[in-house]
Amino acid sequence: DAGITQSPRHKVTETGTPVTLRCHQTENHRYMYWYRQDPGHGLRLIHYSYGVKDTDKGEVSDGYSVSRSKTEDFLLTLESATSSQTSVYFCAIRGWTPDTYNEQFFGPGTRLTVL
Amino acid sequence: GQQVMQIPQYQHVQEGEDFTTYCNSSTTLSNIQWYKQRPGGHPVFLIQLVKSGEVKKQKRLTFQFGEAKKNSSLHITATQTTDVGTYFCASNTGNQFYFGTGTSLTVIP
């Protein structure tokens, strides 16, 4: 168990409002990731972090920002939510041993609906 | 970025039938990982393949990595209702991971 939690688990919001999703881990893992999952698109990387205040963009980063001010929390912000950002959002951490380094351990997900 | 295409998108099988999902890339992959996501759940890592032509088995599941390291397959023998879910392939380049579109498996009892 990688000890990953996500909050909120469900959220309904309106177009144009800001939204922040939180990913929390308890074991000081270095790498954290945000993905969105949509039918027909699988999982697509939004942003990832490789340390405190160190982040980089993924393939679908437009409209999203992230912050990591402490090791255990990785925040995903939608500055002005749009209906196209309705999705299920998963946080993940990267494996921390040589055998698991290319594994992704996922949190339970957040279902976001933008009306 | 790296593109990993996966087919089919959906597959319905009778319990006891076999099932195969395929991943293809236009570029050579350094590795391929496979995940399973149960309905309503999150993806869970199954296995990683890294060598050309590699074959690995987990009970009724057989994973293959192509000789050119551009394709991979997951084969399930004699499906059971517990196999229901979506199967994803993935690969990483450095710190970035790229997932296939997934194959949703339905098993009809």
Side-chain angles (χ1 to χ4, degrees):
Chain A
D1 183 7
I4 307 168
T5 57
Q6 292 184 232
S7 59
R9 294 293 314 279
H10 302 270
K11 186 170 182 66
V12 179
T13 191
E14 293 190 349
T15 298
T17 60
V19 176
T20 295
L21 308 182
R22 180 185 185 229
C23 179
H24 179 77
Q25 52 121 339
T26 58
E27 300 183 16
N28 292 320
H29 298 301
R30 179 182 176 191
Y31 291 91
M32 299 182 76
Y33 296 76
W34 276 109
Y35 293 88
R36 61 177 290 174
Q37 183 175 26
D38 306 287
H41 291 278
L43 291 149
R44 292 180 291 175
L45 180 63
I46 305 171
H47 283 279
Y48 69 96
S49 170
Y50 48 96
V52 173
K53 298 186 179 177
D54 291 323
T55 65
D56 206 350
K57 295 180 180 180
E59 59 182 312
V60 291
S61 59
D62 287 350
Y64 301 94
S65 62
V66 290
S67 67
R68 193 166 179 203
S69 59
K70 46 186 179 177
T71 302
E72 57 265 37
D73 288 324
F74 191 30
L75 304 181
L76 177 70
T77 296
L78 292 65
E79 300 291 347
S80 178
T82 67
S83 58
S84 64
Q85 293 176 311
T86 293
S87 187
V88 179
Y89 291 85
F90 285 100
C91 175
I93 63 169
R94 188 173 191 170
W96 53 96
T97 68
D99 287 344
T100 65
Y101 198 58
N102 288 334
E103 292 183 34
Q104 296 267 279
F105 295 84
F106 287 87
T110 294
R111 183 173 295 275
L112 176 67
T113 302
V114 183
L115 301 175
Chain B
Q2 208 161 278
Q3 295 275 344
V4 183
M5 307 304 295
Q6 192 171 352
I7 56 170
Q9 188 172 356
Y10 301 97
Q11 185 84 62
H12 294 241
V13 299
Q14 288 289 141
E15 188 173 15
E17 291 182 341
D18 293 356
F19 159 77
T20 306
T21 174
Y22 302 89
C23 276
N24 297 289
S25 171
S26 58
T27 60
T28 301
L29 303 171
S30 55
N31 54 55
I32 194 93
Q33 300 106 32
W34 285 93
Y35 291 78
K36 177 182 178 181
Q37 182 178 23
R38 295 184 186 274
H42 58 275
V44 175
F45 176 85
L46 295 175
I47 207 162
Q48 177 176 249
L49 306 171
V50 296
K51 298 177 183 177
S52 169
E54 189 170 13
V55 178
K56 287 188 177 181
K57 294 189 175 184
Q58 289 180 349
K59 298 183 180 178
R60 295 177 293 103
L61 278 60
T62 301
F63 305 84
Q64 295 189 358
F65 201 8
E67 294 288 343
K69 300 182 75 172
K70 290 185 176 182
N71 55 73
S72 181
S73 64
L74 158 58
H75 179 82
I76 302 178
T77 303
T79 54
Q80 301 175 358
T81 54
T82 53
D83 295 324
V84 165
T86 301
Y87 293 84
F88 293 97
C89 59
S91 186
N92 69 292
T93 301
N95 295 325
Q96 296 217 17
F97 289 76
Y98 300 89
F99 283 78
T101 48
T103 296
S104 176
L105 173 63
T106 299
V107 179
I108 304 163

